[in-house]
Amino acid sequence: MMLSLNRMPLYAAAAVAAVAFLSTSATAQDTYTPAATTDAAAATASPTSEVTAAPTVEATEGDVGLFPVGTRTYGHFDDCDCWVKGRVDEYISGDPSLYRVKWSSKSKGTTDYYDADLDHLLTVVNHAADFVANIGENPDDEKPQIYARGTPVYYNFDDSKWYHGTITGFENDAYDVTWADGTTGTYSLRRIRVMVDQAITQVIRSTGGEAHTVKVEIGMPVRDRYKGKWYDGQITEVHHSDGRYKVTWTDQSTDTYTDKKILKQIIDQGMLYNVGKDDETVQVFPVGTLVYKKFTKKFWKGKITGYKDGTYEVTYSDKSREKYRNLNDVLEMVNQAADLVISGGYKSEGEYPQVYPVGTQTYYHYENGWYNGHISKFREGKYTITWSDFSVGTPEKGLTRVKQMVTQAAQEAMGFKPDLVEKYDIGTPVYYKFGDDWYKGKVTAFQAGWYTITWDDDGSTDTYDDLGVMKQMVDAAANLAVTSIEAQEYPIGTPVYNGEFTGKVTGFDDGKYEVTFADGTVHHFHDAKHMHSLVEAANQKARAENPMAVGNSAATAVIVISVLVLSAGIVLVVIRRKRARKSKDLPPPPPPQNPYHDRPEPNIADLKATSNDIV
C-alpha cells in the first residue's frame, strides 16, 4: 500500500471546478480579538516581531495527543490512484506516541503514525480540511467536523503577538477555541485550518523534525487581518539571501516581512481565501481528461495534456497540439468523448476507457439539496464519488450520470444560470439512455429552471437544467410512442451492425430486443425504427463484403426472368436486379447543444496549493 503524501485533492494540477459558491470575505464568525490586543497596540507593534516559544497544549481531559481520536483524514493512495477517507481511530501516548488512522476502505486497513511521522499525518488531515473547505462547503448541507476537541491551535493576530489555544467545540459549522489567556473565539474552517497547521508545524520544529516547505514566489496571494479588517495582497519582492519578503496590498501600501511564521500564515490565508474571485480562473478539467473533436470531416481523439492561465492544451492522436481558451469549447469536446465511450467506442484507451481522471469535480442535486464532490476512484468502468458530507457512492446509471455531474460542476464554474421559463409541462414523458438500457420517465416538477424527472423503473429522480438534454429526452419519448415494438419481427440470431461492431439479436422480451455485440457489450432496444436501422446496416455491410450474396432480408434478391424465344434457337435470359430500397430511418438526433455555446466565457476562480512552510 502506497500512500501519497504530496498530492492535494483540489489544489495545483488536481484543481477542478465549482468555487462559485465559496465566499471570498471573512465570515461573521471570525470575531475573536485577544484580550491583550488594542487598536493602539496594533498600530505600534512591529509587523515582523516574533514569539519564539513553541505552542504548548494542556488537555483538559487527559492526554489526547495533537490529533485526538475522531480527527478526519483524507489520503491519496498511489496503488489505486484513489482518494480514501479515514479517521484517527486510536492514540497511544508514549515515547514515541502512536496515532492509528483507520481508512474506510477495507483494502487499506490502518496506518500507524509515530511522532516522527507528524508531518505525514498533518498532510492527510490537511487534505480532509481542504476538501471540505473548497469542495464541501455547501449551503444545503451540514459540513462535517474535521478537527476533534483538544486539537491545538497557534495564531498571530493583528497585534503581532502569537497565541496558542485548544479547540473546545464544534457547532453550526464553526469551531470554538479557548486561548491560553482564558478568552474564547469562534472561527470558520478556513481560519482553523491555518491555526492547526501552524501549531503542528511548530511542534515538529521544536522536536527537531522537518516541516513541510514551499518556495515563496512573486505573485503569490496573501491575506491578513489588521484592526479588525481583512486585506488582500500579493508577494511583490523576494530576497532569499537575507530573508526579506515584500507584500503589496490592494490599497497599494506595502510591508516587508522577515518572520517566516507570519509570512507562512498570510500565504496560507491567501491560498485558502482566494476562492471565487472574479479575476481568477480555475482548471475545470484535469490533465488526462479525454476529448473528441471534429475537424473538417473527421473526428479526432485526444487528451488534455496541459493547462496554464486559463488555457487548455490538447494533444490529439496524430500528435498534433491545439490550445483552447474558451471553457465551453473544452466542455463540448469532453462531453463528446463521454458520449463516444457511452456508445461503446474509444477502445483505444482499453476495455474501460476513463474519460474523467480522479480529482474531477462533480455537482449534483439530491432530494435534500445540492452536493459538491469529486471523483475519488475509477475501476473497471465504474466511477466512485466522494461527496461534500464525506459520503461515498458509485452512480447507478454509470457514465451517463457521471457526465451530468461533471457538466453541472463545469456549468457552475462558468456562472451558468438556468432558463427560468417552463417549457415542458408536468407529466411530459421522457425517454433516456443510461449505460446499456433505455429508461422511461416523466417530468414531475419544475423549479428555478430545473426539471425533476421521475423514472418509471424504480421511482428515482434526476434534475436537469440543460434544455438540450430535455429536448432530446422529450423528443425520444414522442418518437417512442409511434415506434414502439408491438411484436417480435427479428428472430434470435438476426445480424446487426452499429457502425463499429457487428452483433446479433440474442433475446426478446416485453417489446424489447436484447442485442449482443462483438465486443461483448449487451444492449436493449425498444425502438422499432432503431432496430430496423441496425439490421439494415448489417445487411448493407454483408452486401458490400459479398456483392453476389442473395437472400438478404432488406432487399429483393436477383430476379431472373427467363424468356424463351423459340426463334432462331436463341434463349434470351433477362437478368434484372432490383435496386435496394433506401432506408427511410430518421437520422439520430444531434447531440444536445451546450447552453453556453458562443457566450462570452465568464471569469471563474483559481485554487492554488496551500503552503505548509517557508524556505
Side-chain angles (χ1 to χ4, degrees):
M1 178 178 67
M2 297 181 63
L3 177 62
S4 174
L5 300 172
N6 58 356
R7 295 184 58 175
M8 307 295 286
L10 253 188
Y11 298 132
V16 287
V19 291
F21 16 24
L22 304 185
S23 171
T24 61
S25 61
T27 68
Q29 297 168 336
D30 294 338
T31 56
Y32 171 75
T33 301
T37 302
T38 64
D39 287 349
T44 59
S46 168
T48 59
S49 63
E50 180 177 354
V51 177
T52 57
T56 59
V57 181
E58 295 181 3
T60 57
E61 297 180 1
D63 184 5
V64 296
L66 299 173
F67 293 105
V69 170
T71 302
R72 284 190 181 270
T73 60
Y74 199 43
H76 181 272
F77 290 82
D78 290 333
D79 58 349
C80 60
D81 185 24
C82 62
W83 287 94
V84 181
K85 65 179 181 178
R87 287 182 185 270
V88 175
D89 188 59
E90 184 179 8
Y91 168 71
I92 301 175
S93 179
D95 187 15
S97 296
L98 168 67
Y99 299 85
R100 178 161 292 150
V101 170
K102 184 176 181 180
W103 302 104
S104 60
S105 171
K106 292 182 179 180
S107 64
K108 303 308 173 191
T110 61
T111 302
D112 290 343
Y113 297 90
Y114 294 90
D115 289 340
D117 305 316
L118 277 178
D119 57 337
H120 296 167
L121 181 54
L122 174 62
T123 296
V124 294
V125 174
N126 280 349
H127 286 340
D130 294 338
F131 177 80
V132 173
N134 296 286
I135 283 187
E137 285 197 346
N138 188 329
D140 298 317
D141 179 39
E142 286 293 320
K143 287 77 172 176
Q145 180 177 354
I146 304 300
Y147 302 104
R149 185 175 186 271
T151 304
V153 293
Y154 191 46
Y155 197 68
N156 180 272
F157 288 89
D158 56 10
D159 61 350
S160 293
K161 293 182 180 179
W162 286 91
Y163 295 82
H164 59 82
T166 304
I167 293 175
T168 53
F170 176 80
E171 187 176 1
N172 296 327
D173 308 323
Y175 292 83
D176 297 325
V177 171
T178 299
W179 298 96
D181 62 359
T183 56
T184 61
T186 301
Y187 309 93
S188 64
L189 173 60
R190 285 188 179 86
R191 207 170 183 193
I192 281 291
R193 194 268 200 217
V194 174
M195 295 176 177
V196 173
D197 189 279
Q198 284 279 31
I200 304 303
T201 297
Q202 297 311 308
V203 170
I204 293 172
R205 285 177 170 174
S206 68
T207 57
E210 292 292 331
H212 297 294
T213 61
V214 66
K215 185 178 181 180
V216 181
E217 297 178 340
I218 292 176
M220 294 181 77
V222 296
R223 185 177 176 86
D224 202 11
R225 191 176 185 183
Y226 182 68
K227 292 186 177 181
K229 183 179 179 179
W230 286 96
Y231 292 87
D232 293 305
Q234 61 178 321
I235 305 291
T236 52
E237 290 184 16
V238 173
H239 304 279
H240 292 299
S241 58
D242 57 2
R244 291 185 300 112
Y245 304 90
K246 183 178 180 180
V247 170
T248 299
W249 303 98
T250 51
D251 63 358
Q252 300 307 308
S253 63
T254 62
D255 285 309
T256 299
Y257 293 84
T258 58
D259 182 347
K260 292 183 177 180
K261 288 195 299 181
I262 294 179
L263 190 63
K264 167 181 163 51
Q265 178 171 300
I266 65 175
I267 289 176
D268 280 349
Q269 290 175 162
M271 299 299 185
L272 285 170
Y273 283 88
N274 192 36
V275 176
K277 292 187 176 179
D278 290 339
D279 58 349
E280 298 289 340
T281 57
V282 64
Q283 183 177 355
V284 175
F285 296 106
V287 169
T289 305
L290 298 185
V291 302
Y292 193 50
K293 180 177 174 62
K294 186 176 183 179
F295 289 91
T296 312
K297 296 182 179 180
K298 183 177 181 180
F299 276 91
W300 289 89
K301 300 174 182 177
K303 286 185 180 180
I304 293 175
T305 52
Y307 175 85
K308 184 176 182 181
D309 298 331
T311 299
Y312 290 85
E313 177 191 76
V314 173
T315 301
Y316 290 96
S317 54
D318 64 349
K319 308 301 181 183
S320 64
R321 295 183 180 181
E322 299 285 344
K323 292 187 177 181
Y324 301 90
R325 179 76 180 177
N326 191 318
L327 179 57
N328 178 74
D329 291 340
V330 180
L331 173 60
E332 192 170 18
M333 291 188 293
V334 173
N335 280 348
Q336 288 179 156
D339 290 337
L340 181 60
V341 173
I342 290 170
S343 66
Y346 230 127
K347 294 302 183 182
S348 58
E349 287 294 310
E351 184 178 0
Y352 303 106
Q354 182 176 357
V355 180
Y356 307 108
V358 168
T360 303
Q361 189 160 350
T362 56
Y363 188 46
Y364 196 69
H365 187 271
Y366 288 95
E367 291 183 0
N368 56 339
W370 284 94
Y371 284 78
N372 304 289
H374 74 175
I375 295 171
S376 53
K377 184 179 180 181
F378 177 81
R379 185 176 181 181
E380 295 183 350
K382 295 182 178 180
Y383 292 86
T384 299
I385 312 294
T386 299
W387 295 104
S388 51
D389 61 351
F390 270 108
S391 62
V392 178
T394 299
E396 293 181 359
K397 291 183 171 65
L399 178 56
T400 304
R401 178 67 52 77
V402 175
K403 174 192 170 186
Q404 181 187 355
M405 294 173 173
V406 174
T407 298
Q408 289 175 171
Q411 290 171 352
E412 283 295 314
M414 291 188 288
F416 168 71
K417 302 298 181 184
D419 189 337
L420 301 181
V421 178
E422 184 175 2
K423 290 182 170 58
Y424 300 104
D425 296 333
I426 304 301
T428 301
V430 297
Y431 190 48
Y432 203 47
K433 184 180 181 182
F434 292 96
D436 295 337
D437 290 326
W438 287 82
Y439 292 81
K440 298 178 182 178
K442 58 181 174 291
V443 176
T444 53
F446 177 81
Q447 184 177 9
W450 290 89
Y451 294 88
T452 298
I453 305 298
T454 300
W455 302 103
D456 294 348
D457 64 320
D458 58 2
S460 63
T461 61
D462 285 319
T463 56
Y464 297 90
D465 67 336
D466 189 331
L467 290 179
V469 174
M470 283 298 301
K471 184 178 186 305
Q472 183 181 11
M473 293 192 294
V474 172
D475 288 350
N479 186 53
L480 177 66
V482 297
T483 63
S484 59
I485 300 171
E486 301 296 336
Q488 183 175 1
E489 179 181 358
Y490 303 108
I492 304 300
T494 300
V496 296
Y497 181 55
N498 65 359
E500 184 174 7
F501 295 104
T502 58
K504 60 184 178 181
V505 175
T506 52
F508 181 84
D509 182 47
D510 192 25
K512 180 170 61 176
Y513 284 97
E514 177 189 85
V515 174
T516 302
F517 288 97
D519 64 345
T521 59
V522 179
H523 298 262
H524 297 86
F525 301 100
H526 296 272
D527 191 325
K529 285 189 175 181
H530 188 64
M531 273 302 301
H532 179 76
S533 67
L534 293 174
V535 174
E536 176 68 12
N539 290 335
Q540 291 177 359
K541 185 175 187 297
R543 286 194 297 272
E545 293 174 350
N546 186 4
M548 299 304 294
V550 295
N552 287 313
S553 63
T556 304
V558 175
I559 302 174
V560 180
I561 303 176
S562 300
V563 180
L564 300 179
V565 182
L566 302 178
S567 62
I570 299 174
V571 178
L572 175 63
V573 180
V574 180
I575 301 177
R576 177 172 174 264
R577 180 186 299 270
K578 185 177 180 180
R579 184 170 55 184
R581 177 176 58 86
K582 291 185 178 180
S583 172
K584 295 182 180 180
D585 297 336
L586 296 175
Q593 294 297 313
N594 192 293
Y596 325 101
H597 191 66
D598 296 331
R599 295 186 186 180
E601 180 181 357
N603 293 318
I604 44 183
D606 189 21
L607 302 178
K608 299 182 175 64
T610 300
S611 69
N612 289 293
D613 199 8
I614 302 298
V615 293

